[in-house]
Each structure stands twice: as C-alpha cells, then as structure tokens.
Amino acid sequence: MKLNQFVAQLGRYWATFGAVAGIVAAAGICLAVLSPPRYVSTTQLLVSIEGSTTASAYENDNVVTGRVATYVALLTTDAVAQRVIDKLELSESPRDLAGQVSATAVAPKTAIIDVAVTDSSSDRARRIAATIGTEFIAYADTLETPTGEDRQKVHTKVVTAASTPGSRLPELLSLAGLSVVTGLLLGAVAVSIRARTDAILRTPADAAAAGVPVLGSVAAVPAPSEQESIGYRGLRAHLEQLAPTPAVWVITSATGEVDVATVVRNLSRTIERHGGQPVVLAGDSSDPAQARSLIDPARPDHTHVLVAAPPVTKSVSASVYGEFADGVILLVALGSTHRHDLREAVAQLRAAAVRVTGVVVANTWKHNRTEGSRGVV
C-alpha cells in the first residue's frame, strides 16, 4: 500500500486508529506503572586454582571450566538458597528464593560467573546478592577436596560486589514508549483491516471494484452551485463520448440510496444549457412493450433520453428499460451504498444482458433547498 493511500484511509478511519492506538498504549502504560516493581542486583564470582603449579596450564583450565559449569548449577539450588534464608532470616521457601536467582558463565569460556538476584525491594535484592556470594563460597569450600597429588585446591571469590539497583524510571519510560509504538502499529493494522472489510463504499476506487468504470462525480442536490455543476458538465461530455446522439440512458441506483430524480433533472438542465435537447422519462414499468413504446418515440426528437428507473435490487424496471437503451448508469453514494448491493445490482443487470455503462458517484453532503423538487415526466 502506498503512503498516500494509507493517509487517505487514516483520514476515513481516524476513530478506529485512535481507539486502537489509545487503548493499547494506555493498557501498556497502566501495566508498566501498576505491575510490581522488580529490581535486579548483580555480583560476580571468580573460580581459580590455588596451590602447587606442577599441573599444566591446560589441565588447570579444564578443571576450572568443569567447576564453573558445576557452580552455575549449584548457585540456583535449594541448598544454597536455604543458607541465604538462614543468614538473612527470610520468610520465603528455598524454592521461591532459588527462583529469584540466575547464574551464567561469562562467555567465552572464562572463570567468571555472573549472579543476578531479582526482588521487589531494591535493598533486599542487593542484600541477597551479597549474601549469596559469601554463602556460596563457604558452601563450595565444604564440597571441594584436594585435586591431585600436589594438593591443588579450587577456590572461589567475589570479584564484583553486589550492585545497588538503579531507578525504575528508565524502565518505565521504555515500557511506556514501547506501548505507544505498539499502539500506533496496531492502530495502523486496524485501519488496514477496516479498509479491506468495510461494507460501505468510501471512495470512487471502492466503487470501481464492482468491475465497472467510474464516470464521474456529481452533487445530488436540487439546485447545484456553479462549482457543483462542473461534475454534471463532465458527465455530459463523458456520455457523448460513449455513445453518439441521440442516446438513451437508464439512470438508477442499487437500493434507493440516491435521489435519482434529482440527479436526472440536473443532468437534463446541463445538457440543455449546452445546446442539447434532452427529455426525462419515468421508467417504472416492468412491461417490455410499454418500455419500448415510451423510448422509441422519444429517441428521434431528442439528443438525450434520460430514463429515471427504480432501484435495481428492488425492481426489474432498470433491466427492462435497459434492453432498449444505450446503457445503464448506476448512482452510488459514498458512505451509504454497500459494496454487496452494488455488486448485486451490476450482476442483475448483466444477467439480463443489459450494458452497464458505469458508476457515477452522487455526493449528498450538501442539501440545497432553494428550489423545490419537480416530478419526472
């Protein structure tokens, strides 16, 4: 989809965009603000070998690497968590506390272990992180035995003290910004979906989707202004290009959403002002013989025979009169005509072997009542 197309859709469905974007952004911000605070304190442990150096460096590295992998697993066990609970006199279970701890070996293949503690209290997270470092060292010392005849020993020490968790403001701002961006993206998706599934015609391009050309746009008002008359002049010129005069045009709508009589009268006046000799007929009969008897006598004496017919989906008159005409013109109202109704009207006319010349968009946004309506003859 091109940018200008999306902007046009955004203008039509701005309420949908605003609702989706606003709800998603508000929900994300509320979740970020109301969710329990989580603070993370980190510390680092170094695993090394002390004692005799008769073993090769390669063997020492293997020993340390094995110990690091083992210690990473031990740091999140209930046994270590219980030592921390006893030391700090905490109330939670060892399993719960162990779930707050994560340990990872610093890549690539180092002797350093990163330990992180997450808690709802900044001070508690720091104290647990500090305590788990010292308690694990004591616990590991009780498990270690001399390695090799030279009495080497694996030793662990804290190399980075437990950090004090910072303010939650950057986290909240990040979550709020992410919520806003997500809301905007989902709002754009909602607009795109709404445009594809909207049952109402919103643009001339929507009307063309029925498979017939759009011939123009006119104002369906009793007394169009000079500016509004431009649409009728363009339609007149278009019709004269489509068929030589004298020509017979059946003008109708899909379901009655447009005042066909008003449009036909305005078009007739425009043709007359440009030197034509139009006549307007009421095409409300379903009898082909009567339709022929009405159209045939009018054709030789007029340049344009305009037949105002009832809605296609409610009457067969448009199909009946269309059999003796040069074509049928369907009027649609943006914001009122349903896509399905337009497609059904086109299908009915084509099924009757009637030529559907095109669609004319009839704008009904202005209601000029300076001139009373007159009946169709």
Side-chain angles (χ1 to χ4, degrees), residues 50-69:
E50 295 181 352
S52 174
T53 61
T54 58
S56 68
Y58 177 77
E59 292 174 343
N60 287 345
D61 286 344
N62 285 339
V63 171
V64 170
T65 300
R67 287 299 191 276
V68 168

Side-chain angles (χ1 to χ4, degrees), residues 215 234-243 249 267 306 329 357:
L215 304 179
L235 178 58
R236 177 199 65 83
H238 205 154
L239 294 180
E240 291 185 354
Q241 292 176 357
L242 292 172
W249 303 104
L267 179 59
L306 307 178
I329 299 171
T357 303

Side-chain angles (χ1 to χ4, degrees), residues 37 48 69 74 81 125 175 210 227 358:
S48 60
L74 288 175
L175 289 175
Q227 182 68 26

Side-chain angles (χ1 to χ4, degrees), residues 98-113:
Q100 298 176 231
V101 180
S102 65
T104 55
V106 177
K109 197 177 180 181
T110 66
I112 298 176
I113 300 174

Side-chain angles (χ1 to χ4, degrees), residues 28-165:
I29 293 173
C30 289
L31 182 63
V33 173
L34 299 178
S35 62
R38 308 299 292 173
Y39 297 94
V40 180
S41 178
T42 60
T43 186
Q44 285 187 321
L45 306 179
L46 173 67
V47 181
S48 60
I49 293 181
E50 295 181 352
S52 174
T53 61
T54 58
S56 68
Y58 177 77
E59 292 174 343
N60 287 345
D61 286 344
N62 285 339
V63 171
V64 170
T65 300
R67 287 299 191 276
V68 168
T70 301
Y71 290 173
V72 166
L74 288 175
L75 278 162
T76 57
T77 61
D78 292 353
V80 175
Q82 185 63 62
R83 295 176 69 100
V84 176
I85 290 172
D86 295 340
K87 182 72 173 180
L88 298 179
E89 298 182 348
L90 304 177
S91 59
E92 59 254 65
S93 67
R95 182 177 295 274
D96 290 340
L97 182 61
Q100 298 176 231
V101 180
S102 65
T104 55
V106 177
K109 197 177 180 181
T110 66
I112 298 176
I113 300 174
D114 278 337
V115 182
V117 177
T118 304
D119 197 86
S120 58
S121 167
S122 172
D123 181 65
R124 230 170 76 104
R126 184 192 59 77
R127 290 193 298 118
I128 293 174
T131 303
I132 202 171
T134 56
E135 289 301 314
F136 177 76
I137 291 172
Y139 176 67
D141 286 344
T142 63
L143 299 178
E144 289 293 347
T145 56
T147 59
E149 297 179 357
D150 53 5
R151 309 291 296 175
Q152 290 179 339
K153 185 178 180 182
V154 177
H155 183 68
T156 306
K157 62 182 178 181
V158 176
V159 292
T160 302
S163 62
T164 300

